[in-house]
Amino acid sequence: HVQLVESGGGSVQAGESLTLSCAVSGLPHSSYCLGWFRQAPGKEREGVAALDRDGTTSYTDSLKGRFTISRDNAKNTLYLQMNSLKPEDTAIYYCAANGRTICLVTGNWTGPFDYWGQGTQVTVS
């Protein structure tokens, strides 16, 4: 039974930082591409970042430099470090896993990702 459980969301002021975590169980964590997506009210889900098995990363261009994706294979946990948060970063953040060879985020494309968490709310004011 595959489970992805996000945590770490909350309400912060603009300019502050937040780190999201995603605990992964039921699949060989180190053998999967893992990613973060977000969905703001009234908008489509969009890719934030992806991290492949070999450490290769993919970021949405507009978030490069502020967001950092990482994983701890020993803890089966994925992280998203978010710095200099802006009100437009307000959204529900989801982690996802994908066992295919494609490991990237681009726009609203979620196709390769098979497993999803329930999401964690991030509010920036």
Side-chain angles (χ1 to χ4, degrees):
H1 176 60
V2 178
Q3 270 196 314
L4 290 81
V5 181
E6 302 93 338
S7 61
S11 296
V12 297
Q13 298 292 314
E16 294 185 341
S17 298
L18 207 57
T19 300
L20 305 182
S21 300
C22 174
V24 181
S25 61
L27 55 81
H29 176 264
S30 61
S31 300
Y32 273 68
C33 162
L34 299 175
W36 286 100
F37 293 78
R38 68 184 185 183
Q39 188 164 14
K43 295 188 176 181
E44 289 187 61
R45 193 169 298 188
E46 65 172 354
V48 173
L51 177 57
D52 209 344
R53 305 143 184 88
D54 63 356
T56 302
T57 56
S58 168
Y59 290 94
T60 290
D61 285 345
S62 61
L63 300 177
K64 280 183 185 176
R66 290 198 300 124
F67 287 18
T68 303
I69 189 171
S70 62
R71 68 202 292 172
D72 184 331
N73 289 335
K75 295 182 178 180
N76 284 355
T77 301
L78 178 72
Y79 301 99
L80 183 69
Q81 172 69 41
M82 304 184 294
N83 297 326
S84 302
L85 283 162
K86 304 175 181 180
E88 51 263 42
D89 295 318
T90 294
I92 299 174
Y93 285 71
Y94 300 89
C95 67
N98 145 23
R100 306 166 199 267
T101 57
I102 298 173
C103 187
L104 59 87
V105 290
T106 177
N108 304 121
W109 189 46
T110 62
F113 289 86
D114 304 300
Y115 304 102
W116 293 84
Q118 293 299 305
T120 186
Q121 176 72 47
V122 173
T123 303
V124 186
S125 59

